[in-house]
Each structure stands twice: as structure tokens, then as C-alpha cells.
Amino acid sequence: MEASNQSAVTEFVLLGLSAHPKLEKTFFVLILSMYLVILLGNGVLILVTILDSRLHTPMYFFLGNLSFLDICYTTSSVPLVLDGFLTPRKTISFSGCAMQMFLSFAMGATECVLLGMMAFDRYVAICNPLRYPVVMSKAVYVPMAISSWVAGGANSLVQISLAVQLPFCGDNVINHFTCEILAVLKLACADISINVISMGVANVIFLGVPVMFIFVSYVFILTTILRIPSAEGRKKAFSTCSAHLTVVVVFYGTILFMYGKPKSKDPLGADKQDLSDKLISLFYGLLTPMLNPIIYSLRNKDVKTAVRYLVAQKRFTQ
């Protein structure tokens, strides 16, 4: 393959819903509505965790990081998706595609690590409450959060660096709404075995290890809770980790549904399945960030109290 042909691709075309133009306006309104809910819900959570001194604890510090991460994750892709619904020719530059892949990959990996660290916080709070102020001091939980961002960014840098070094010498049409890394790798005119192996190792580290860590943490948490003699005590202890557990189930549940569902072997239904796969992937990226603030608001008395306090304070100042 000549070098001139290998370097010919300077932009990619995103198919999105090009084959279903009648659906574009409907999904534009739906996706925009979900995005605004994500910005509002997570923005309010960040605000209350900063302004309310009662929420200056490790758990709410991690929650603020999670909300900021969800805003970054959706902002890395949703504006591109919305623009694609309104633009006849949906293109993105090679460098823009690389940046979008980097941000999405980094945010996803960081969230996996962050959820694991939040599980550790709940483990210490319930299983070793007397040592909690020492074990989860500010000198500990701040570096923990920073390390999750660094780990996610480093992993993304490795994966995207390997991807952009591949030659793209022909087809530049990505059958997706965004620059989803697997869809991009399919366009490379070279062996992608190293990329596949690297992503497999990363999945074990950033998906498998946090899942096992969360599972083990909650085994100890539930064992400790069941040893509490009073029903009221058990209820109070469980309420402190129920929101995090719900978020974990939603986050990993959607991943399992998306990647674990069987593929259709009917060639006639390939187009329909292809469309459903793209839509499931799109809504997966929106569902968890949208539900996180709702879950933490509905299942957490401290957050609800803080929100009410800030609303009342704003009305009083007016």
C-alpha cells in the first residue's frame, strides 16, 4: 500500500441515522432533553457538595467527581450527535475524532475506578466506623480521586495512541453516531491484533478488577450489616450505601446488556440489529449519567436536605 493512499483519510463520515431521516428530529429532541437533564442534575449535585459544608466528606467528594465526570463524558459526544441529526453530511476531522475517542474512553475508565473507590469508602464507613476519619482523611481520599482520573487518562492515551498510528487508506465511513473506537478500528487497513489485545487487557483492569473489588467490598458490608442487632440500625447502615449500590447495578447492568445480548444470525435482520446496537450504545452513554443524580437525590437524605436548604436560602435572599 502506498504511503499517499495510507494518509489519504483526513476526516470521517458518521452514518448515524442517515438511513432513517424521519427519526432524526424525534431523536434530536429526545437526546437534547436527556442531555439537559444530565447537565442540570449533575450540576446541582456538584453545587450542593461544594456549597453545603455538611457534605464535605469523602463520600460526597467522590460523588462530586462522579457528577463532573458524567458531564464531561456526555459533553464529549452528545453535541456531536445532536449536530449530526441536523447536518446533511455528518463529518468529523481525524484529529477531532481522536480527541472525542480519547475523552470518551478516559471518562469511561475513570468512572469504573471511581465506583470502586466509592465502594471502598462505604466499606470503611460501615465495617470500620471508628477508623473511618483516619483511613479516609483528606490526605487519602483526594489522592484517590486524582489517581482515578490519571489512570483513566493514561489508559485512554495508550489506546488512542495505538489507534491513530494505524493506516486508514480507504473507507472513511463510521457506522455510528460518534467516533466509537471499535467502529473506527474496523476501518483500518492493517492488522489490529495489538489494539484488540491492548483493549482486552484494559477491560480486565478497568472493568474486571473494579467489579471484583466492589463485589468483595459489599460482601463484607452486607455481612457487617446483618450482624447489627436492631432492624433500625440495619436499615440506617444500608441506607448509607444503597445509592452507590444502585448506581453500580445500573452502570454495569447496562454494560452487560449492551455487550452480552446475543447477535442475530438472520441476514435479513442485520440492518435492524445494526440500528438497535447503535441506539443502545447511544442511550447507554446517556442513561447512567442521567440516573446518577436522580438516584442520589431520591435515596439520600443529606442531598435532599442540602438541595432544599439551598433553594430556601435562594428564596430568602430574593
Side-chain angles (χ1 to χ4, degrees):
M1 186 66 65
E2 296 180 1
S4 58
N5 288 334
Q6 291 182 351
S7 60
V9 174
T10 58
E11 66 177 17
F12 293 102
V13 177
L14 302 169
L15 280 185
L17 288 175
S18 299
H20 308 274
K22 293 182 179 179
L23 296 176
E24 290 188 326
K25 290 184 179 179
T26 301
F27 278 100
F28 175 85
V29 174
L30 180 59
I31 300 301
L32 178 60
S33 301
M34 294 178 72
Y35 183 51
L36 292 176
V37 170
I38 289 169
L39 293 180
L40 178 63
N42 287 286
V44 168
L45 270 182
I46 293 172
L47 197 61
V48 297
T49 55
I50 293 174
L51 297 180
D52 195 321
S53 59
R54 293 169 296 182
L55 301 184
H56 292 175
T57 63
M59 183 175 74
Y60 295 110
F61 178 76
F62 287 130
L63 177 57
N65 274 262
L66 185 64
S67 294
F68 180 68
L69 186 149
D70 284 337
I71 290 176
C72 293
Y73 178 75
T74 52
T75 302
S76 71
S77 58
V78 172
L80 179 65
V81 174
L82 294 175
D83 181 66
F85 288 145
L86 301 177
T87 308
R89 181 171 172 79
K90 308 160 180 57
T91 60
I92 183 172
S93 66
F94 188 93
S95 58
C97 186
M99 180 57 69
Q100 195 263 312
M101 286 192 296
F102 171 79
L103 291 173
S104 295
F105 218 94
M107 297 304 107
T110 301
E111 181 156 3
C112 292
V113 178
L114 199 58
L115 288 173
M117 291 183 174
M118 293 174 76
F120 177 74
D121 172 72
R122 292 299 84 205
Y123 161 75
V124 177
I126 293 175
C127 299
N128 297 282
L130 297 179
R131 297 188 61 202
Y132 183 75
V134 177
V135 176
M136 294 302 295
S137 65
K138 191 173 183 178
V140 174
Y141 69 76
V142 172
M144 285 174 65
I146 292 174
S147 66
S148 68
W149 287 90
V150 172
N155 172 58
S156 182
L157 185 62
V158 170
Q159 304 306 327
I160 305 310
S161 295
L162 290 173
V164 298
Q165 290 177 27
L166 293 169
F168 297 90
C169 47
D171 190 7
N172 69 333
V173 179
I174 299 175
N175 189 18
H176 214 279
F177 295 100
T178 62
C179 289
E180 201 272 334
I181 191 167
L182 293 177
V184 173
L185 289 178
K186 290 179 181 178
L187 304 181
C189 51
D191 184 20
I192 60 171
S193 299
I194 294 178
N195 302 77
V196 173
I197 293 172
S198 177
M199 289 181 65
V201 173
N203 286 338
V204 171
I205 295 173
F206 287 91
L207 281 174
V209 173
V211 165
M212 288 301 299
F213 188 81
I214 292 169
F215 176 76
V216 172
S217 296
Y218 272 99
V219 168
F220 284 108
I221 288 172
L222 291 175
T223 303
T224 302
I225 290 176
L226 292 175
R227 289 175 181 170
I228 298 175
S230 67
E232 185 64 27
R234 289 193 296 269
K235 182 179 178 181
K236 184 178 179 180
F238 185 75
S239 67
T240 64
C241 60
S242 60
H244 173 258
L245 184 59
T246 304
V247 167
V248 167
V249 171
V250 171
F251 180 76
Y252 286 104
T254 51
I255 291 178
L256 289 174
F257 174 77
M258 186 167 64
Y259 293 107
K261 63 188 183 68
K263 300 291 184 181
S264 173
K265 296 182 180 180
D266 181 10
L268 296 176
D271 290 339
K272 289 184 178 179
Q273 181 176 344
D274 186 53
L275 175 61
S276 68
D277 286 346
K278 289 192 292 185
L279 289 175
I280 288 171
S281 177
L282 175 62
F283 281 101
Y284 155 71
L286 293 168
L287 182 64
T288 304
M290 186 179 70
L291 291 180
N292 283 354
I294 297 174
I295 292 169
Y296 272 98
S297 297
L298 293 177
R299 303 185 68 87
N300 192 297
K301 292 181 180 179
D302 293 336
V303 173
K304 286 191 287 186
T305 302
V307 171
R308 289 170 185 166
Y309 174 76
L310 289 177
V311 171
Q313 192 176 43
K314 185 177 179 181
R315 288 178 179 175
F316 178 76
T317 55
Q318 290 177 345

